[in-house]
Amino acid sequence: MFWREDRKFWILPVGGSEKGHWSSSIEHPHGGSKLNLDTDVVATQEEIGSSTYLVDQPWINEKLYDSVINGTMITIEKTRK
């Protein structure tokens, strides 16, 4: 999931085949890997080194493109207290 406002890319373990199977993962976040697009992305594979959380720019570009082109856009409205 690409969270534009927070500049995060969230890899969610959603599974399932019915429409909207991912909604519980969005409403009740648990697990998955969150990547900060400002601090967890480096230019090349070599810059990743032995890191277990960094990704390279070509990889995130592919994932962002796929999420925008083939994904489902979800708008979450803020609730007023």
Side-chain angles (χ1 to χ4, degrees):
M1 177 175 80
F2 172 39
W3 185 357
R4 184 182 62 199
E5 293 79 8
D6 205 27
R7 298 205 32 82
K8 299 271 193 289
F9 188 79
W10 192 2
I11 303 167
L12 296 167
V14 292
S17 59
E18 76 250 12
K19 186 175 181 153
H21 62 274
W22 40 260
S23 63
S24 67
S25 292
I26 303 291
E27 293 169 8
H28 308 287
H30 59 285
S33 300
K34 292 181 187 126
L35 296 170
N36 182 310
L37 297 177
D38 296 322
T39 60
D40 299 338
V41 179
V42 294
T44 66
Q45 181 71 34
E46 291 75 28
E47 291 179 68
I48 293 174
S50 62
S51 171
T52 58
Y53 70 92
L54 294 176
V55 298
D56 63 16
Q57 193 66 56
W59 184 87
I60 197 67
N61 288 350
E62 178 184 325
K63 301 303 179 196
L64 290 171
Y65 178 85
D66 187 50
S67 69
V68 170
I69 298 300
N70 298 316
T72 301
M73 181 166 190
I74 303 168
T75 303
I76 301 172
E77 301 291 333
K78 289 183 178 181
T79 58
R80 295 179 188 203
K81 293 182 179 184

